[in-house]
Amino acid sequence: MLVNYKNVDVYQDDTLVLEKVNLSIDKGELIYIIGKVGSGKSSLLKTIYCDLDVQSTCDTAIVLGEDYKCLKKSRIPQLRKQMGLIFQDFKLLEDRTVGDNLRFILHSTGWKDAMDIEARIKAMLTEVGMEDFIDKRPYMLSGGERQRVAIARAMLNSPKMIIADEPTGHLDPESEEGIITLFEEISKSGTAVVISTHRYQMIDRHPGRVYKCENGKFTEV
C-alpha cells in the first residue's frame, strides 16, 4: 500500500477542512478525489506530498513506508522524489525550453551523465507525444501541450505515485480527454495516479476509485 490514512484530520492553517479521512492507495490504482472548489481536495493532497503537516493525533498516516506522525524533515526530499506532482497551472519555467525544463529536474535530483539525461528526456517526451517540442518554450504551447510536458516532467524519476491537483482545470474538453487518457495509461503501467477534480464528466469514461470531499467529510463513493 502506497498511502494508508486512518482517521486523519486535515488542517489549513488552524482551520479543520476535512475530518477523519480514511484513504488507501495501492500500486497502479487510478483514484479520483472529487468535490467543489474549496472543499479540501488540495489540502488533503498537500498532506501526502508533505506541504501540510499531518496531526500526530491521527490513528495512521503512512505514505511510501514513512510514518507521517513522526516524519523527519530531512526525509521529505527523498519522499518527494518518489512522487510526481502535477498542478492546474503547469508550473513550467517559462524562460526555458521544454528540454531545459526537464533537464533542470534531472540535474536537481542527482542525474550526472549527459547521455543518460538526454535519453530519459527523449523517452518521456515521446511517451506523452511531445518529442517534437523539445526546443519550444512553454508560452508557445497550448494548455494541453503544457500539461503533457508537465506529465513528462513528473515521470522522469519513475515515481511510485502521481499526484495531480486539478490537472484539467484550464483545459478544453478535447485536451482534458487526452490528459485523462494519458493518466489512465500511466496507472495501467503500475504507477498510482491520484487526481483531484471538480469536473466529474471524465469519471464515467475513465473509471477509477472515487472519494468525495463535502462539508468537511471525506467518503468513498
Side-chain angles (χ1 to χ4, degrees):
M1 189 178 295
L2 303 180
V3 175
N4 184 17
Y5 274 13
K6 293 181 179 177
N7 294 322
V8 174
D9 291 337
V10 177
Y11 283 83
Q12 183 71 52
D13 297 323
D14 295 325
T15 302
L16 178 64
V17 294
L18 288 173
E19 184 178 15
K20 298 188 182 305
V21 170
N22 292 290
L23 169 66
S24 65
I25 301 171
D26 287 314
K27 178 181 177 180
E29 281 198 290
L30 180 61
I31 303 281
Y32 295 99
I33 298 177
I34 64 173
K36 296 179 180 178
V37 174
S39 61
K41 304 186 302 297
S42 294
S43 295
L44 173 59
L45 295 184
K46 285 180 179 180
T47 67
I48 296 175
Y49 62 83
C50 303
D51 205 39
L52 287 177
D53 291 334
V54 166
Q55 303 298 309
S56 60
T57 53
C58 69
D59 290 346
T60 303
I62 296 176
V63 178
L64 301 177
E66 295 281 351
D67 188 346
Y68 275 19
K69 294 169 66 175
C70 54
L71 181 66
K72 295 181 179 179
K73 298 294 185 184
S74 60
R75 292 291 302 153
I76 292 177
Q78 186 60 35
L79 266 170
R80 285 183 176 161
K81 191 175 179 180
Q82 301 177 69
M83 306 175 190
L85 305 181
I86 298 169
F87 301 96
Q88 179 174 320
D89 56 356
F90 320 121
K91 297 193 182 300
L92 298 173
L93 301 172
E94 296 292 332
D95 62 339
R96 307 185 189 201
T97 66
V98 165
D100 284 340
N101 267 269
L102 274 59
R103 290 184 190 98
F104 174 79
I105 296 298
L106 291 175
H107 286 142
S108 66
T109 53
W111 289 61
K112 303 294 185 184
D113 187 274
M115 290 183 65
D116 288 345
I117 288 171
E118 296 309 309
R120 187 61 179 167
I121 289 171
K122 182 179 180 180
M124 289 301 95
L125 289 177
T126 299
E127 187 168 317
V128 301
M130 293 295 291
E131 65 272 20
D132 294 334
F133 295 78
I134 189 170
D135 294 322
K136 302 286 186 181
R137 293 183 185 269
Y139 70 83
M140 304 169 71
L141 308 180
S142 69
E145 290 167 345
R146 288 185 179 203
Q147 201 58 289
R148 286 177 178 271
V149 173
I151 293 170
R153 179 185 60 187
M155 292 294 292
L156 283 170
N157 284 303
S158 302
K160 295 178 179 178
M161 176 170 52
I162 292 287
I163 300 173
D165 192 2
E166 294 281 2
T168 63
H170 289 330
L171 305 184
D172 59 77
E174 182 178 353
S175 297
E176 176 181 77
E177 177 67 18
I179 293 300
I180 299 303
T181 298
L182 187 53
F183 282 139
E184 189 174 37
E185 292 170 355
I186 290 170
S187 70
K188 289 178 179 177
S189 74
T191 301
V193 179
V194 186
I195 303 170
S196 76
T197 184
H198 65 278
R199 296 165 66 168
Y200 308 153
Q201 302 91 330
M202 67 184 76
I203 297 174
D204 290 337
R205 298 190 299 273
H206 305 278
R209 202 143 56 88
V210 182
Y211 291 90
K212 187 173 186 178
C213 301
E214 187 175 39
N215 298 323
K217 304 297 184 183
F218 184 80
T219 55
E220 187 167 3
V221 178

